[in-house]
Amino acid sequence: MIKIGIFGYGNLGKGVECAVAKNKDMELVAVFTRRDPATVTVRTEGVKVYHEDALKDMKDDIDVLILCGGSATDLPEQTPKYAAMYNVVDSFDTHARIPEHFANVDAAAKAAGKTCVISCGWDPGMFSLNRLYANCILPDGKDYTFWGKGVSQGHSDAVRRIDGVKDCRQYTIPVEEAMNLVREGKQPELTTRQKHVRECFVVAEEGADLARIESEIKNMPNYFADYDTTVNFITEEEMARDHSGLPHGGSVIRTGATGMNNEHTHVVEYKLTLDSNPEFTGSVIAAYARAVARLNKEGQTGCKTVFDIAPAYLSDLSGEELRAHLL
């Protein structure tokens, strides 16, 4: 059994817990939190909740520690820190900062003889793999990625970090006209702003400066500054009534030409429609936690991404079973 620890018991942590329960070769042994453990109730029978401080004493009890914090401020600090103690998986999703994050985690993991996977989920993650596959197959082509419509957990979390914000749901919405042009193989030149719009529903603290909050959201680098963003201030009751779900999805598309004279056009599209963003992301993470445990046993240390791990490492089936039933 692969012994799993979860650090952070928000939406993603609960999604990982659900995923671990569905994998017969995994066991959830502990949940860690920065909150008072007495205030956190997990759904897996017999699993104890510990304060973050206990992580320094439980290295022998856990094969893989899954970090479920936010990418804005949590993971840049937490992943290198705990890569020095544990085999780790995170879902760091600030694309522009992935090289920097990789270098920090790689140095810590190699020094400790640990194995880590960063930026694991569906984008970055499954979409990244499909971009790579399609690029290799259609070298003469162009990539397009469309997200949504759905709730972005990372963007929602980033808004919640703003002073005066009590809660937020941020929806990423693809521009249909742009998607249709791509699917027709037209290969349009599209700016970030032409591909998506962002819509925020924000519950503000009483007396908060709404104009300042809106300005901070719209000008936030790596999150909103490059998009047309609408900010709606709503009540807690409206949030609970209208925005309690966490759907998401999207498509990664590559269009390309083959033939000596580029006479044939091809469109490769990988699409996801997710009823629960955190539960699907947690399911991807669980599969890569299996790979991390195996790689560490083989002596492969340092930081990895989804590009570095062969698909067979994700499955609980043997090579013989994979060749017989899935190849």
Side-chain angles (χ1 to χ4, degrees):
M1 295 292 284
I2 301 169
K3 296 179 179 179
I4 301 292
I6 295 173
F7 179 25
Y9 197 66
N11 292 321
L12 181 57
K14 292 171 184 174
V16 171
E17 180 186 22
C18 292
V20 170
K22 291 186 178 295
N23 285 278
K24 60 182 179 290
D25 60 341
M26 295 183 185
E27 176 188 4
L28 180 61
V29 297
V31 171
F32 301 89
T33 180
R34 291 178 294 192
R35 293 176 275 170
D36 177 356
T39 67
V40 178
T41 303
V42 301
R43 291 175 283 184
T44 304
E45 187 176 350
V47 172
K48 291 185 178 181
V49 181
Y50 300 87
H51 189 267
E52 176 187 6
D53 294 342
L55 279 164
K56 65 182 183 298
D57 302 318
M58 297 185 65
K59 290 177 276 190
D60 295 335
D61 301 315
I62 294 168
D63 296 317
V64 183
L65 178 65
I66 296 173
L67 302 179
C68 299
S71 297
T73 57
D74 294 334
L75 297 178
E77 175 187 339
Q78 291 173 356
T79 310
K81 176 180 178 179
Y82 290 111
M85 306 180 197
Y86 294 91
N87 301 317
V88 164
V89 183
D90 82 12
S91 60
F92 185 78
D93 66 357
T94 306
H95 291 262
R97 296 186 62 193
I98 286 175
E100 168 194 347
H101 188 57
F102 179 94
N104 293 336
V105 176
D106 191 49
K110 283 180 176 174
K114 299 300 181 182
T115 310
C116 304
V117 171
I118 64 161
S119 302
C120 181
W122 59 275
D123 197 7
M126 303 308 295
F127 274 17
S128 311
L129 285 173
N130 282 275
R131 280 190 286 265
L132 175 61
Y133 288 140
N135 269 260
C136 296
I137 295 164
L138 295 174
D140 186 356
K142 192 171 179 63
D143 290 319
Y144 301 88
T145 302
F146 294 96
W147 301 287
K149 179 181 180 180
V151 176
S152 170
Q153 295 178 94
H155 286 70
S156 299
D157 178 69
V159 173
R160 285 193 288 268
R161 303 301 176 97
I162 294 174
D163 185 46
V165 172
K166 201 170 190 179
D167 198 4
C168 174
R169 291 291 186 278
Q170 188 273 310
Y171 293 87
T172 302
I173 305 167
V175 177
E176 284 292 331
E177 295 83 352
M179 288 185 70
N180 291 336
L181 286 174
V182 171
R183 285 173 170 152
E184 292 169 8
K186 300 288 180 63
Q187 294 196 1
E189 293 293 334
L190 297 170
T191 65
T192 297
R193 199 173 298 275
Q194 289 172 320
K195 290 190 293 183
H196 299 90
V197 297
R198 296 193 182 277
E199 188 167 17
C200 300
F201 293 86
V202 177
V203 178
E205 300 280 0
E206 186 175 352
D209 184 341
L210 302 188
R212 174 189 55 79
I213 291 172
E214 182 172 358
S215 177
E216 285 194 38
I217 293 171
K218 289 185 174 181
N219 293 292
M220 189 183 297
N222 297 324
Y223 285 88
F224 298 100
D226 295 328
Y227 299 86
D228 290 333
T229 301
T230 303
V231 178
N232 306 283
F233 291 99
I234 62 174
T235 65
E236 288 184 273
E237 292 74 21
E238 288 172 313
M239 180 68 77
R241 185 190 68 210
D242 301 330
H243 305 282
S244 60
L246 292 169
H248 216 328
S251 298
V252 56
I253 305 170
R254 184 168 179 84
T255 63
T258 61
M260 296 304 292
N261 299 300
N262 287 343
E263 59 266 34
H264 297 117
T265 298
H266 309 275
V267 179
V268 180
E269 179 171 357
Y270 177 76
K271 181 179 179 181
L272 294 174
T273 302
L274 311 178
D275 192 41
S276 171
N277 183 0
E279 288 183 9
F280 184 85
T281 300
S283 298
V284 177
I285 289 172
Y288 277 90
R290 177 182 293 113
V292 163
R294 289 177 172 175
L295 289 168
N296 189 257
K297 283 186 178 179
E298 292 177 1
Q300 297 192 47
T301 63
C303 190
K304 313 289 183 185
T305 72
V306 295
F307 295 147
D308 305 309
I309 298 174
Y313 280 88
L314 308 179
S315 176
D316 65 346
L317 300 178
S318 68
E320 292 81 0
E321 290 170 320
L322 289 172
R323 289 186 290 274
H325 301 295
L326 293 180
L327 191 59

